[in-house]
């Protein structure tokens, strides 16, 4: 919880009496039906939200979640600073995932505050009680909105970076080739700086690394390919040192002073070598994973899963929408396999299961390495019946696997699968949660079986 928000929240709570807090809570409790109707009408009537929320079932679910949030927000027993912040932060991330317009959030909060203030004005309170309650309501919702909007913007920015990375992946981004291209660009700039020095007149500036092909790539593309990679910041610091300190020294060097030129050029070369080393380590760490494939199973990495699921949810709004299914698969007793037979056999089992899944689905479907021994399958244009049919095919194929052991024996492998058909969710996390619950029930029910998640 940010320190400034914590101070504002603590100050608001300390200045608000328990009696005032109870007054605000009572308004929500006593007028719950009216508030629920007003919020539903707001969702239906707002042009920015009507197309997003969609059908009647979504309206009902959205309204129910709003009422749950409202009750927790004003509940005197559920408004600790950390809980308050985490809930608003989580809501902001959710709104970013489902594409809830930020101005619509502000508009809804404004309408809620006005609704509260009208009810406060109509109640039989003393003037001081009214002032205290109004100050509490305004502060409460303004702080909630600030936290939510900050989280929303963070989520939108993160989604945008991942979507762009996914776009580059689909265009066939080759990291090995990109690494060599950038190494060559660094070398070319290093060779060119001396040539530019000897060709320049005394008043000319030498080219800066930040404006070279490598510098432009570093500033505009590297952060997309290598999101949150701390070594990128180290490279940027080295580039800044070269441009701000070392190149100016070379600019001031005399053509006739070979020692001075050699010293300045040598320091630049040292920093370029450091950049090459950092660059190579970044590419090496990402060259398999960031190519979109898990190096062990060759399945898609979960990095691009949000983009796929958000895209599928968007497609369901079209008139020809055919639904989709999410299958979450967990290899049974995988820890026991590793503990008994070693990680080498465990890796063989993972590869075999991944191959069985890939052979059981269409090329248009998506298969992700979701976790250690978990895999996630997104079946496009697939209804519940088809999802169950494919899940059974996958389960049976895995049950037929036989992994060879060092002693000549064979290891049988089984898996539990949770199936969740799209049920109108706006947030992909909800369909994942349904699939996760279903696979848990499959394992609790005896393993090597399929469980269908209840409708959303």
């Amino acid at each position: 919880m940010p320190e400034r928000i914590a101070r504002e929240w603590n100050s608001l709570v300390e200045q608000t009496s328990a009696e005032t807090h109870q007054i605000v809570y009572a308004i929500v409790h006593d007028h719950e039906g009216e508030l629920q109707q007003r919020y539903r009408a707001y969702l239906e009537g707002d042009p920015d939200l009507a197309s997003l929320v969609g059908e009647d079932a979504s309206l009902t679910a959205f309204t129910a979640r709003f009422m749950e949030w409202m009750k927790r927000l004003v509940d005197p027993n559920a408004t600790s600073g950390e809980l308050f912040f985490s809930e608003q932060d989580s809501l902001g991330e959710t709104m970013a995932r489902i594409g809830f317009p930020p101005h619509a959030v502000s508009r809804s909060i404004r309408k809620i505050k006005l609704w509260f203030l009208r009810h406060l004005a109509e109640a039989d309170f003393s003037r001081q009680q009214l002032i205290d309650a109004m100050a509490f309501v305004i502060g409460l919702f303004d702080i909630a909105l600030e936290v939510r909007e900050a989280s929303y913007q963070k989520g939108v920015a993160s989604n945008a970076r991942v979507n762009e990375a996914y776009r580059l992946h689909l265009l066939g981004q080759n990291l090995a080739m990109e690494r060599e291209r950038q190494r060559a660009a660094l070398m070319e700039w290093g060779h060119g700086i001396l040539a530019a020095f000897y060709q320049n007149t005394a008043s000319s500036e030498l080219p800066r690394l930040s404006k070279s092909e490598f510098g432009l790539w570093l500033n505009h593309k590297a952060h997309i390919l290598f999101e949150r990679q701390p070594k990128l910041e180290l490279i940027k610091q080295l580039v800044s040192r070269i441009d701000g300190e070392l190149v100016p020294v070379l600019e001031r060097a005399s053509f006739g002073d070979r020692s001075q030129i050699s010293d300045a050029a040598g320091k630049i070369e040292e920093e370029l070598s450091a950049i090459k080393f950092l660059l190579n380590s970044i590419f090496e760490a990402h060259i398999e994973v960031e190519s979109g494939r898990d190096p062990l199973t060759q399945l898609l990495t979960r990095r691009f899963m949000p983009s796929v699921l958000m895209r599928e949810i968007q497609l369901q709004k079209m008139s020809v929408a055919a639904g989709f299914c999410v299958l979450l698969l967990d290899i049974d007793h995988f820890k026991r396999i590793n503990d008994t037979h070693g990680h080498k056999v465990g890796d063989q089992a993972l590869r075999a299961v991944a191959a069985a899944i890939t052979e059981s689905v269409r090329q248009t479907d998506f298969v992700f390495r979701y976790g250690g021994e978990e895999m996630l399958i997104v079946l496009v244009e697939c209804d519940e019946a088809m999802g169950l049919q494919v899940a059974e095919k996958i389960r049976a194929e895995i049950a037929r696997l036989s992994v060879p052991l060092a002693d000549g024996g064979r290891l049988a492998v089984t898996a539990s699968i949770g199936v969740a058909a799209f049920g109108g969710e706006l947030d992909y996390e909800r369909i994942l949660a349904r699939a996760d619950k279903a696979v848990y029930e499959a394992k609790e029910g005896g393993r090597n079986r399929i469980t269908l998640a209840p409708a959303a």
Side-chain angles (χ1 to χ4, degrees), residues 112-348:
I112 295 168
K113 284 196 293 187
L114 290 173
W115 179 85
F116 257 107
L117 295 177
R118 278 195 295 269
H119 276 283
L120 286 171
E122 294 168 0
D124 185 21
F125 305 138
S126 69
R127 177 179 174 81
Q128 189 58 50
Q129 284 178 323
L130 178 60
I131 293 174
D132 291 345
M134 290 174 66
F136 179 64
V137 167
I138 293 171
L140 181 69
F141 286 103
D142 284 355
I143 294 174
L145 178 61
E146 180 181 347
V147 175
R148 193 185 292 190
E149 285 186 335
S151 177
Y152 178 94
Q153 294 301 328
K154 180 178 65 178
V156 167
S158 177
N159 289 340
R161 287 192 296 269
V162 172
N163 286 338
E164 179 63 9
Y166 185 53
R167 184 184 70 81
L168 292 175
H169 165 66
L170 292 180
L171 289 175
Q173 179 71 32
N174 186 320
L175 290 185
M177 185 180 295
E178 186 67 26
R179 175 181 59 186
E180 296 312 309
R181 184 183 296 119
Q182 297 312 319
R183 285 172 61 87
L186 271 174
M187 188 179 298
E188 181 181 352
W189 182 87
H191 291 161
I193 190 74
L194 282 178
F197 170 74
Y198 284 113
Q199 293 169 7
N200 274 346
T201 62
S203 60
S204 298
E205 287 189 355
L206 293 176
R208 266 34 180 190
L209 181 55
S210 59
K211 298 301 180 183
S212 69
E213 181 182 342
F214 172 79
L216 295 176
W217 173 84
L218 179 66
N219 290 327
H220 297 279
K221 280 193 173 181
H223 72 283
I224 295 173
L225 291 171
F226 309 119
E227 187 181 14
R228 301 188 189 93
Q229 171 53 257
K231 289 182 180 178
L232 281 181
E233 291 305 315
L234 295 177
I235 292 177
K236 288 180 180 180
Q237 290 172 19
L238 291 173
V239 170
S240 180
R241 170 169 158 72
I242 289 173
D243 284 353
E245 299 178 25
L246 303 184
V247 172
V249 170
L250 185 59
E251 284 176 335
R252 294 190 298 268
S254 169
F255 285 140
D257 191 337
R258 300 178 67 86
S259 175
Q260 189 180 23
I261 295 171
S262 177
D263 182 62
K267 289 180 179 178
I268 290 175
E269 185 57 38
E270 286 178 7
E271 299 295 56
L272 288 178
S273 296
I275 291 175
K276 290 175 187 175
F277 176 80
L278 289 170
L279 190 67
N280 192 62
S281 65
I282 292 173
F283 272 102
E284 285 296 326
H286 290 77
I287 206 155
E288 290 289 346
V289 176
E290 296 307 312
S291 68
R293 296 285 173 183
D294 171 61
L296 177 63
T297 63
Q298 291 303 301
L299 300 180
L300 292 169
T301 67
R302 64 181 293 169
R303 172 179 171 80
F304 301 133
M305 183 191 69
S307 295
V308 169
L309 289 174
M310 285 190 287
R311 169 69 175 164
E312 289 302 315
I313 288 174
Q314 288 298 317
L315 289 174
Q316 303 315 305
K317 297 177 182 179
M318 300 173 62
S319 59
V320 293
F324 69 93
C325 283
V326 169
L327 278 55
L328 185 56
L329 179 149
D330 191 298
I331 299 176
D332 295 328
H333 302 297
F334 187 73
K335 185 177 184 300
R336 184 188 302 172
I337 293 174
N338 278 333
D339 291 347
T340 305
H341 304 287
H343 289 278
K344 184 176 180 180
V345 172
D347 288 349
Q348 287 180 292

Side-chain angles (χ1 to χ4, degrees), residues 370-382:
Y370 189 66
E373 66 270 25
E374 289 184 313
M375 299 173 196
L376 185 102
I377 305 103
V378 179
L379 302 175
V380 303
E381 298 200 14
C382 172

